[in-house]
Amino acid sequence: MTLHRRHRLAFLLALLWILVSCPSPSHAQTLSKEGQEQKAIHDFLFDTFAQNRKTKYVGTGRDHGLKEVTVLEESRELHDGTELLLPEGTEIIAGLFRHFAFHGEHLDRIKEVRVFPFSPDKSPPRSKQVTDFYRVQMPSIPLYDEPPGRMKIRFLMKAPDGVARIDDLVFIAQKQIPPEFDTIPYRDLGSEFPRESVVIDIDTDHELSIDGTSDLQRKRWFRMHETPGTVDQSFERWAAERNFFPGRGAFKFNPGLTRAWGNWEPLKERADKPGAADLAFFDQYDAGVRHRNTIAEFKRIPFAYCFNDWPDFMSVPLVGRGTPKPEHFDDAAELAAAYVEEQIKDSGYTAEWWEVKNESSVQSEWAHHWKESQGIDGWGLLADFHNRVAKAVHERAPGTKVGGPSSAYMQVQIKDFDLYRNQARFIEETRGHIDFFSHHFYENALMLGAHARRGQGYSNYLLGRYEAILDMLRAHMHKSDNVLPILITECGSLQNGRQPSDNWLRLLAWNAYLTKSMQRPDQIELFVPFVFLHMAWNPYSGDAAFTPKPELKRHRTIEDFAPTTIANYFELWRDFDGRRLPVDFNRDWLDVVAVHDGNRISIAVTNMGGRQISLDLSGVAKNTGANKTTQTRLNYHQGEVVFEPEHEVDVSAVPVDVNETTVVRLHLAKTLSPAMLVQQQRHYAEQTAVKSEGAAITFSIDDLNASNLQSAKLIIGVHRRGGISEPLSVEVNGTTIEIDRGDADEFTEFFAPLDADIPVSVLRKNNEVKITAQTGTTITSVQIATLQNVDE
């Protein structure tokens, strides 16, 4: 680089820092302050940093964007402690990318890397390591008041004399970054239009029973990604005061047992049986330290745990995060069962649910998926391994539930639903062996404003895809005679950073998934968002409710930490509980859950549509004699995430913004005590993922109890690239049912349920549903949901 160019770059970086540090007058901009900052960084990336560097663009049209930029292209020999100084400006654009990676030689010799100034003391998670490629998750970027300084990578080798070589350093985006700056995350969406009134009707004469109970069962839903004893008791007491409980954690055999973390010798391979663990290890290992140290309330709470990273001596080398070799499946299963048995012995209890392998639906976690092109049956091996682990654990720890596949990347429509067929096959091949299924759902980076992106390739789950996928899986369970509970053991956002838009995407995702999941207790047994109290291995993560106070060197109790914006998630939901009430409204992309505790009605509302709305609850208030209406809000407003504690509002005009989840309460003058009960049931056709060629397709829904029905609804899961631009023709038992497509024609790719009321007089025990859909449409599932009056 010439001296002139150095001076020019230094000037640009100084100017950039001024732009991102000094807000412009609010009246002169439509973007938030953060939006102005991010636009400056975006423009620097494309106009300056990426110039004359190797880049990779993917996608076409509106999906066209920058996927990779080669930050450094030079060969360097690496030793233990080698430091690599990155070009000026790298630290500015790092937060736009999800991963960084190296190509080179002998990269499997690298133990870990440290990233300065962002993560100098902790190694970010590695997502892939082979001899010629090494990929690491970009660490969370702290918030700085001053320029952070040059970015630097320090390499630590597995052996002190280890030597490797890198040839480049590449930044990789989670989703391609469009060359044109995206303003959606930095605006109050829908604020340019008047609010639209939505009437919410709540049946206060009946309680709603789903899966045999009208109790909300708070402990199913209000969890955190922690296991008992993981954090100091001061954090656990804070969570317990807000009625949140341990939900799920991951246990890695390597390095959890293969390194000496305590007063014990590491787990080793058996000398007489290569590939098997020497289970004599458990004679001197205490698996109950953490569990014994948890608060008393958490010792009685069932939670989930997930096995991962089996020891190297029984695993496929380098890839698949400790994926056992098929010849060592039984050895791996015995190790898992021995650990569970030891934990029960040492602490008196273990997890109620054990997942066999974290995110084993993807290649980076289950190495055998890589070899399917070579004739290796990755999914068949996965089902077999789950069955073996379940058998071993059940024998040593009867009553412990075992399941999986702890799926990631639930894009089941990929390759004309090939991924769904793998999931369906897993359901079939684990029948009689495992006790539950588990899945993960994440909103991708750069996916704020889902409804505003419906015609721009939105491909995540919160616009109906989540529900449609759950219905597909449930329908196939019925077909396979293997109906088991589903655990959502992770969900949230893949967005890096702790800026307001980053935090808002996390919060709206957790809240929206929660509201949707609470309506499905007949399917979902446990819901765990990816939210932590604090993360010792990634202390400034945006997924944590607390981060270390920078002025302190020691961080142990909650007093040593400061609450983050994320802590407000716990405040929003701290006492949402009660018995379910039936709800009715006429609005697309809205979710409503209502419960009562006798003295008040609590209503959770999520607005995933594109307009700001006001809820009209005046009819409910009049019927119940409510004397006060209050609202608790956690919302994005004028560029900031704003928490509004419970405050009084107008019952006929309760504000709910785009992407907001809010909790509204009607305070009652007299105790509510519904005298009747109505029961919700879902009845599925067995056929799933049926492709339409334009002709009528017949679905059968049998064994439906059609007596004493209050109401019924037909729900059809639909997928089509290009949206649904032609009407669906639908008949139920010969009666025409009108299906409102809403805005399904406005989607680049529509994948969601469509529904319509069915006259209850039409239904009988065995029902025939005929659907004629636009060519290229896939009918993903068909169900009839009924509300049936029940004598208490």
Side-chain angles (χ1 to χ4, degrees), residues 624-642:
T624 58
N627 54 22
K628 186 171 69 171
T629 305
T630 59
Q631 181 183 24
T632 305
R633 301 187 76 180
L634 181 54
N635 193 24
Y636 182 83
H637 182 60
Q638 295 185 356
E640 297 294 336
V641 177
V642 180

Side-chain angles (χ1 to χ4, degrees), residues 25 36 121 133 138 236 256 260 302 329 353 360 374 393 413 451 453 495 502 547 564 575 654 658 709 772:
Q36 298 167 48
D121 302 319
F133 186 68
M138 189 73 71
E236 293 187 329
F329 276 4
W353 303 277
S360 58
Q374 304 171 22
V393 172
Q413 78 285 357
H451 194 265
R453 300 182 190 278
Q495 186 99 337
D502 306 321
T547 56
T564 68
D575 60 352
V654 182
V658 174
L709 292 182
T772 305

